[in-house]
Structure formats: C-alpha cells, structure tokens
Amino acid sequence: PQTTLNAETNAVPPALAFTDTNEMIKDIQFDKDGNAYAITWGHGKNLYSFAPDGKLRFSLFLPEMGANRLQVAKDRVLVHTAAGARVYQVGLDGKPISQVRLNMDPGETWDDEYGLAWTDFEYLESRGWLLHKAVDTMRAVAADGAIAAQWRGEEFFDKDVADSVFHRELGPYALSPDGQRIAQVECSFYFSKNAYEDIKIYDAHLVIRDLTGKLLSEYKDLDNFRAEHGPGWPRVTWPQDASGPVAYTRGQRWIFDAGLQILERRPFATGYAVFDDERRLVRDGRTLHYYDTIDHLQCSIGPFAIMPTLTEMSTNHQLIATLDEYGFLRLFRTADGVQQASWQVPEL
C-alpha cells in the first residue's frame, strides 16, 4: 500500500458567497408548469418560488421558524412550520389561502428543553381536507379549520388486566386511488417477560375505513413484533391500479382485495433503500441493483469505492442520486444505470 500526505486544502465557499441566504434548504418541489418551490430551515423568509428560467416569483415569511414539510398540490402549496406546528396554504401565485394549527405548540417539552413539531398530515385534494395523524387519533380537518371527522383505533382488552380497555395505536396508512378510503396499520399490545424486565409486544392488524372513520374491513394478526428493537411497523401502500392495499412486512409482500381478503403473498427483499411502492435498491457487494417492480431488475449502478449513505429518486423516476460520507454526489439514469454527473458537495 502507498500512503500520501496531502498538505493542500480545498477552498469551501460559504453559502453567502453564492446566494443571498445561509438558511438550509429543506425541500424543493415543482408544479405542473415547472415552477420550483423551496422551503428553508431558519428565521426570516422560508418559502421561495422560482420560474423555470430561475427568476424569483415570490418569497414569503410563514411564522414562525423551521419550515420542515412541503407539499405542492394542483392549485396550492402547503408548508408546515416546526415552531408553531402550523400548516400554511398559499396559492401557486403566493397569495395566502389559510392556516391551521394541527399539533400542540410548543410540541414536547422535557427538562426545560423545547421540542419542535413534526406533524404527520396529508392534503386530500378530492375534498380539500387535511388528514392529520396525531399520537392516537386520526383527524380530518376541513378547509375552514373545523374537524370534519375524527376516530381512534379499535378497542381491545389488556391480556393481564381484563378490566382495562385500550385503543390500538395508529401506524402507517395509505389512501385508496379515489381518495375515499384509508388503509391503516393498527397495533394492539401486551407485555411479555424478558429476563428481569417486561417488554412491550405489538400485534399488528390492517384495517380499511371510510373518511368518517367507519370500519369497513379488517385483517387481524398481520404481524407480531417487539415495540423496541424490533423490525418496525409494517409498510402499507395502495397502488393506483389495485382494488385493495398492499402490505410489506418481515420480508413478504401481502396483496389484498377491497375486503382485505389475501390475493397473493410472496417474498419481498426490502433491500438497501426503498423509494416508493416497490422501487428499491438491492445491494450486491459494492453494486446496487435497481428494481422498478417486485422482481424486475431495471439496471445496476456502481461499483462504488465508498458505499453511499444517502440515496434519493427524482419525482419522475428517471434519476437516482447517491451521496457518500465524503460528500461525493452522483446522479444515475434509471433507464440504464449510466452515471450522468458527479461532484463534491461543499461542506456547510
């Protein structure tokens, strides 16, 4: 082996040298006309929009700080702020539409520390509602801020104390293609002995409800796992061309019909990274294989000298970006795995 001592240093230009802000960009999304929308983490203006030619269309300050969630719909932009737990809705032209607080403000507090909010919500374009998943409650918030519907997980009895009634904890969910039903994982629980301590065990169940919370179908005992240090909650999707949802758990894919009858159950390798539905990267040594369906290998990227720590896919599914621990960013075509570009990201 050969060792070389490099005394040279590389200049790292600060963010203010090439932009008018040193705020960290959290997310960038586009509308159907190619306009870009960016949110930033920090104080001051935190929503920016740029035309396809790069010219600034508008910039807004949405109180308070810490924009951490962006969703671009057909006719509006939704931005969530971590300090304040508010969801702001503005038109694609930047004109305000509404604002609503979903979570408590300030979020969690402990030992005099301040916990910022990360609100789990989805905009339902079919009704103009915000679907909000709180800790133990699903809530549909209408356009005027009123609660249109609200429900909790199904009741169950504790196995050790029969007179204790609990509600199942709420997990991942997916909306039906028509936006009128929701498939969700709900977990009942019990405690089991593990050496000198009791450990919490989850029983996962899959349910389908309408948007009033009415239970339409249920599949019990989808999975069983430890609450801590376990494999994690099952993942659920509802493909556009499917009559029912699809659940992924313990290396298997479960396909259900609209009544939660099992149509198919087969092995599914989660892989190195999962994008959306069944698109994923499966590692083979220092090469990553890209599957665009459960068993179709579209291309391979690599080999990598340093395996990437972050991977992301473009919204049109045409590019995969990888970033390694040394700041090297690479772009690959999903059609054939050819590398399109690579550069080292400046350290901020």
Side-chain angles (χ1 to χ4, degrees):
Q2 182 177 359
T3 302
T4 302
L5 178 62
N6 187 359
E8 297 180 2
T9 58
N10 297 322
V12 180
L16 286 174
F18 52 87
T19 184
D20 63 349
T21 178
N22 61 356
E23 301 290 4
M24 179 175 63
I25 296 176
K26 290 289 292 183
D27 195 6
I28 300 175
Q29 295 184 22
F30 296 86
D31 63 21
K32 62 182 184 303
D33 297 322
N35 298 309
Y37 303 85
I39 56 173
T40 61
W41 178 271
H43 301 273
K45 292 182 177 180
N46 47 16
L47 173 62
Y48 297 82
S49 179
F50 300 89
D53 61 2
K55 293 182 179 179
L56 180 67
R57 298 176 64 236
F58 63 83
S59 58
L60 297 174
F61 168 55
L62 304 175
E64 284 294 329
M65 59 79 61
N68 62 353
R69 172 77 186 276
L70 172 68
Q71 183 176 352
V72 177
K74 291 180 180 178
D75 63 345
R76 66 191 63 201
V77 179
L78 294 92
V79 178
H80 173 265
T81 56
R86 292 183 181 271
V87 177
Y88 293 90
Q89 300 187 43
V90 301
L92 299 181
D93 57 359
K95 294 182 179 179
I97 296 176
S98 67
Q99 61 172 289
V100 61
R101 177 184 295 169
L102 294 182
N103 279 1
M104 293 177 60
D105 176 39
E108 298 179 351
T109 56
W110 62 94
D111 296 333
D112 296 327
E113 295 291 336
Y114 180 80
L116 299 176
W118 179 269
T119 307
D120 189 342
F121 72 92
E122 190 75 24
Y123 177 62
L124 305 180
E125 294 196 66
S126 60
R127 301 196 182 191
W129 290 358
L130 291 173
L131 186 62
H132 174 214
K133 184 171 83 71
V135 175
D136 59 355
T137 305
M138 293 295 295
R139 184 178 296 119
V141 181
D144 60 358
I147 297 177
Q150 182 171 284
W151 66 90
R152 301 177 70 183
E154 292 296 292
E155 291 183 351
F156 69 96
F157 288 90
D158 182 84
K159 290 186 176 182
D160 297 320
V161 185
D163 58 351
S164 296
V165 179
F166 298 93
H167 287 268
R168 291 176 183 168
E169 297 183 17
L170 302 176
Y173 67 88
L175 292 168
S176 62
D178 61 4
Q180 303 303 315
R181 292 165 294 164
I182 177 174
Q184 187 166 30
V185 177
E186 297 182 354
C187 278
S188 55
F189 57 85
Y190 60 94
F191 290 88
S192 178
K193 282 290 185 182
N194 180 31
Y196 62 90
E197 61 181 354
D198 292 333
I199 58 173
K200 189 176 183 180
I201 305 295
Y202 278 136
D203 282 329
H205 318 279
L206 183 63
V207 302
I208 294 180
R209 301 180 185 272
D210 64 17
L211 293 184
T212 68
K214 179 182 178 180
L215 181 65
L216 303 177
S217 304
E218 180 179 26
Y219 183 88
K220 291 187 176 182
D221 300 323
L222 178 68
D223 200 355
N224 173 268
F225 57 94
R226 291 181 58 166
E228 294 184 6
H229 311 299
W233 289 60
R235 185 169 65 96
V236 60
T237 66
W238 201 323
Q240 288 294 319
D241 56 352
S243 62
V246 179
Y248 303 87
T249 182
R250 290 193 177 274
Q252 292 187 330
R253 181 185 71 164
W254 301 47
I255 300 179
F256 297 88
D257 65 11
L260 289 184
Q261 298 297 312
I262 298 177
L263 299 178
E264 182 183 83
R265 181 177 171 182
R266 60 184 295 187
F268 178 82
T270 302
Y272 192 77
V274 177
F275 300 119
D276 54 8
D277 293 340
E278 295 170 355
R279 301 176 190 272
R280 65 200 190 281
L281 294 173
V282 177
R283 181 173 179 175
D284 180 11
R286 293 193 170 275
T287 299
L288 296 177
H289 300 303
Y290 167 58
Y291 287 81
D292 56 1
T293 63
I294 185 171
D295 52 11
H296 180 253
L297 174 60
Q298 175 63 33
C299 69
S300 299
I301 60 177
F304 293 90
I306 304 297
M307 294 301 295
T309 51
L310 294 175
T311 58
E312 192 58 75
M313 173 175 282
S314 63
T315 55
N316 61 8
H317 301 144
Q318 294 180 5
L319 293 172
I320 292 176
T322 67
L323 180 68
D324 65 30
E325 60 187 285
Y326 293 104
F328 284 99
L329 182 66
R330 296 173 173 86
L331 295 180
F332 299 89
R333 283 201 309 246
T334 57
D336 51 18
V338 172
Q339 181 173 298
Q340 295 289 92
S342 66
W343 65 93
Q344 189 168 18
V345 179
E347 182 179 354
L348 298 180

